[in-house]
Amino acid sequence: MTTSGVDAFNQYPELRRLADLRDAGWLFMPTCDANGDVIKVTGLRPWPEGVADALHVGSQTDAGALRMDHTGGLLWQRDGTVADVVGALLALPAPSHPLAPRLVRGTAPTLWTP
């Protein structure tokens, strides 16, 4: 059964938030199981400054995002629901903005490294 984008947004409002990220320049890749069902979605937004934002969505209540510098240094991180994490990403200042996080808090997990 094919579901239109509007139907999907109505059934899963969190998808609208992911579409907002896509419209802001994010690239997404689904991970599918052997049956072709999507089990995880990962996203990446590289910035010209050598910084990248990354996102993983396992379910409506299992999402995480981070920002890392070009060396893999962790600059910012948020975990929670899709709505909370995407909202935080959309509110996160661009790396060139004076209020953007710049202090390295640790090393980003290698799973996140683009």
Side-chain angles (χ1 to χ4, degrees):
M1 182 171 109
T2 303
T3 303
S4 73
V6 172
D7 290 341
F9 288 153
N10 289 336
Q11 188 172 359
Y12 303 102
E14 296 82 5
L15 291 177
R16 169 64 66 193
R17 302 298 298 200
L18 293 177
D20 292 340
L21 288 179
R22 181 201 61 212
D23 294 344
W26 281 74
L27 306 170
F28 289 97
M29 177 172 285
T31 300
C32 299
D33 65 13
N35 297 322
D37 295 324
V38 176
I39 57 173
K40 179 174 75 169
V41 174
T42 54
L44 180 69
R45 181 175 188 185
W47 294 90
E49 296 87 350
V51 172
D53 296 337
L55 168 73
H56 79 84
V57 176
S59 70
Q60 295 167 323
T61 59
D62 175 25
L66 57 77
R67 176 171 284 174
M68 64 192 130
D69 68 13
H70 69 283
T71 67
L74 180 64
L75 302 173
W76 176 90
Q77 186 172 15
R78 175 68 62 96
D79 295 300
T81 67
V82 172
D84 292 340
V85 171
V86 173
L89 280 168
L90 290 169
L92 186 63
S96 59
H97 191 279
L99 297 178
R102 288 184 178 76
L103 180 64
V104 174
R105 301 173 29 185
T107 303
T110 54
L111 183 65
W112 286 99
T113 305

